[in-house]
Amino acid sequence: MSGRRRYSPGVTDYQTITFTQTGPIARITLNRPEAANGMSAALTAELADAAARCDTAATKVVVLTGAGRFFCAGGDLKDFASAPSRGRHLKGVADDLHRAISTFARMNAVVITAVNGTAAGAGFSLAVAGDLVLAAESASFTMAYTRVGLSPDGSSSYHLPRLIGIVRTKQLMLTNPTLTASQAADWGLVTEVVADDQLAARADELAAQMATTASGSNGGVKALLLGTFGNGLEEQMELEGRLIAERAESADGREGVDAFLAKRKPEFS
């Protein structure tokens, strides 16, 4: 695609996001505040690369947030409009975003989205794809795709029906209401609402808590829940049985059980 740059694991010269790693905690910030952190071709390519960098045993937690007043206002329409082929350009942007979200969903690391402001369109999709979703009191959520004659992407047609059901998903996607953080929590889209000036601290606190847990166990939870709506009862129970047996043989599984029996705090790897 014209004007698009490909990134590979290990690249550190990100232009549209920031990436830092402190011990087992990775932090990704969408960093185009002048463009409401809109998803351009460069941003989604960099986000996919950063997600791949997090998909290792060294990372147990990923904190994802936005710079400035917005979490992410969705796709960068100016970026799309300037492309020679809007459809081909937008497909490439969506592919990279989907690669990032797929990686986040399947990694063992717990992904915490800290929604610091407006989450619209693909920004909404990305926000609620987190394993744990924190929202500032002033944050808001809206789909907005059909307002500009487009259709949803960013996993929203997968995640939203599972989170809130088909009826409310259609309401969000067809009528484009704007939900406050409190309303989003009431609907089951947000884990926790915190004061604006406490969002970063709460995200750090939660990240530190998750960093002490067993990464393989967290990955097992994610894998089980990712497959639950597609599996029948027996298939899901077989997956449960295989995963718990695998965890019992792991170093962290042995440590967790031994620590419990010894009445001490476990020290997971």
Side-chain angles (χ1 to χ4, degrees):
M1 181 186 326
S2 176
R4 301 186 71 243
R5 179 181 175 189
R6 288 290 173 183
Y7 293 82
S8 59
V11 170
T12 58
D13 62 336
Y14 295 128
Q15 302 300 309
T16 65
I17 66 172
T18 64
F19 179 95
T20 59
Q21 180 99 27
T22 306
I25 301 173
R27 291 177 173 82
I28 301 171
T29 302
L30 308 181
N31 193 31
R32 300 184 69 220
E34 76 289 347
N37 297 325
M39 290 190 183
S40 62
L43 186 144
T44 55
E46 291 186 345
L47 185 62
D49 182 83
R53 291 178 63 182
C54 296
D55 192 13
T56 69
T59 301
K60 297 177 75 172
V61 188
V62 178
V63 179
L64 176 62
T65 192
R69 297 186 301 109
F70 290 80
F71 175 74
C72 174
D76 186 334
L77 298 185
K78 289 183 179 179
D79 182 58
F80 303 163
S82 65
S85 171
R86 293 184 181 184
R88 186 174 64 181
H89 181 91
L90 191 49
K91 179 61 164 60
V93 172
D95 285 349
D96 281 338
L97 173 60
H98 294 166
R99 187 156 53 96
I101 291 173
S102 180
T103 303
F104 286 137
R106 287 173 168 77
M107 64 175 59
N108 284 343
V110 175
V111 178
I112 300 170
T113 50
V115 186
N116 54 296
T118 298
F124 186 144
S125 304
L126 180 62
V128 301
D131 299 312
L132 299 170
V133 184
L134 302 180
E137 288 178 339
S138 65
S140 60
F141 299 80
T142 187
M143 281 273 94
Y145 289 96
T146 60
R147 288 179 186 164
V148 292
L150 300 177
S151 55
D153 66 348
S155 79
S156 56
S157 64
Y158 177 90
H159 281 119
L160 287 181
R162 288 162 170 78
L163 290 169
I164 62 175
I166 288 289
V167 172
R168 278 187 158 173
T169 296
K170 285 183 178 180
Q171 181 183 358
L172 285 176
M173 292 182 173
L174 295 174
T175 70
N176 300 303
T178 297
L179 302 182
T180 65
S182 178
Q183 288 172 324
D186 288 343
W187 281 34
L189 294 167
V190 168
T191 307
E192 184 179 342
V193 178
V194 299
D196 288 18
D197 62 358
Q198 295 299 310
L199 180 67
R202 177 58 183 142
D204 288 345
E205 179 185 31
L206 189 57
Q209 176 187 342
M210 291 294 98
T212 67
T213 60
S215 183
S217 293
N218 296 335
V221 169
K222 293 174 65 166
L224 286 170
L225 297 182
L226 195 61
T228 188
F229 287 99
N231 293 336
L233 173 61
E234 286 71 25
E235 185 179 3
Q236 188 71 10
M237 290 192 297
E238 177 64 16
L239 181 58
E240 288 179 346
R242 288 180 178 275
L243 281 176
I244 198 170
E246 179 183 305
R247 296 308 310 152
E249 293 291 342
S250 71
D252 279 347
R254 291 177 181 274
E255 167 62 11
V257 172
D258 291 347
F260 178 82
L261 295 176
K263 298 182 179 180
R264 61 174 174 81
K265 185 177 180 179
E267 294 183 5
F268 296 120
S269 60

